[in-house]
Amino acid sequence: MVRILVGREPSHLVLDLEPVEVGLLASLAAQVADFVAPDADVDPLVALVGLDPTAQTPVDPAMRRLFPDAYGDDPDASARFRRFTERDLRERKRAAALVVLDAVTQVDPDEGGSVAFDGEALDSWLAFLTDARLTLGTRVGVSDDNHDELTALPQEDPRSGMYAVYHWLTYLQDATVSGLLGDS
């Protein structure tokens, strides 16, 4: 099981990971990085400036959860805002996942071990946990009212494993934030 150590220094975190946790985090980080990656087939100048003239409200529910409309009551304003912000937001989410991927791939996947995050890397860790939880939670259908139902899913239900991972990520996020706030 993962062990989270929050250092006495502000914004310092050390995770002791079992081999299965190393593999799971590496897989999740790679999947999130791929999922949120901006469109590569865009004019290089447009990409350099950070615009995305073709950005639209996503059809995929998980993608909509990660990139919601900025103005729920004004589709035109939301579309304009999305064109100017979504590419950068996608790049930042992808970069955060890649920071986590890089950190966990430094750990021996057969032995497990420790990974440390501080400063901006810690911000990336927390951003990645949020994005991974939002994506999985949307896929599984997590709501405020159905945690007991999801916990009781039979193992043969494909949502069961995804909910277990969601629950584990929730633990990681809660323990990290609690540790950083001095609540642990």
Side-chain angles (χ1 to χ4, degrees), residues 13-35:
L13 170 75
V14 177
L15 299 173
D16 287 336
L17 301 170
E18 297 294 324
V20 69
E21 294 167 330
V22 171
L24 183 57
L25 282 171
S27 176
L28 288 169
Q31 289 178 59
V32 168
D34 287 345
F35 186 57

Side-chain angles (χ1 to χ4, degrees), residues 97-168:
L98 291 175
V99 165
V100 173
L101 180 60
D102 182 57
V104 297
T105 55
Q106 302 302 313
V107 177
D108 185 332
D110 297 323
E111 299 291 323
S114 295
V115 61
F117 296 101
D118 59 9
E120 286 185 31
L122 181 54
D123 292 343
S124 294
W125 167 252
L126 290 169
F128 160 74
L129 285 175
T130 298
D131 292 341
R133 286 185 65 247
L134 286 172
T135 302
L136 277 172
T138 302
R139 294 281 187 245
V140 174
V142 173
S143 71
D144 290 340
D145 302 328
N146 70 350
H147 288 276
D148 291 338
E149 173 190 327
L150 292 170
T151 300
L153 287 171
Q155 284 191 332
E156 58 271 5
D157 188 315
R159 296 174 300 158
S160 175
M162 287 194 302
Y163 183 70
V165 172
Y166 170 86
H167 189 67
W168 179 69

Side-chain angles (χ1 to χ4, degrees), residues 63-126:
M63 194 64 79
R64 260 196 327 269
R65 187 73 172 100
L66 292 174
F67 304 100
D69 283 335
Y71 305 98
D73 58 346
D74 189 343
D76 290 334
S78 288
R80 282 191 305 275
F81 186 80
R82 183 177 299 280
R83 283 193 302 272
F84 288 103
T85 61
E86 186 170 304
R87 180 169 203 81
D88 180 61
L89 184 56
R90 284 176 176 269
E91 288 171 350
R92 286 187 286 137
K93 288 178 179 294
R94 183 171 189 277
L98 291 175
V99 165
V100 173
L101 180 60
D102 182 57
V104 297
T105 55
Q106 302 302 313
V107 177
D108 185 332
D110 297 323
E111 299 291 323
S114 295
V115 61
F117 296 101
D118 59 9
E120 286 185 31
L122 181 54
D123 292 343
S124 294
W125 167 252
L126 290 169

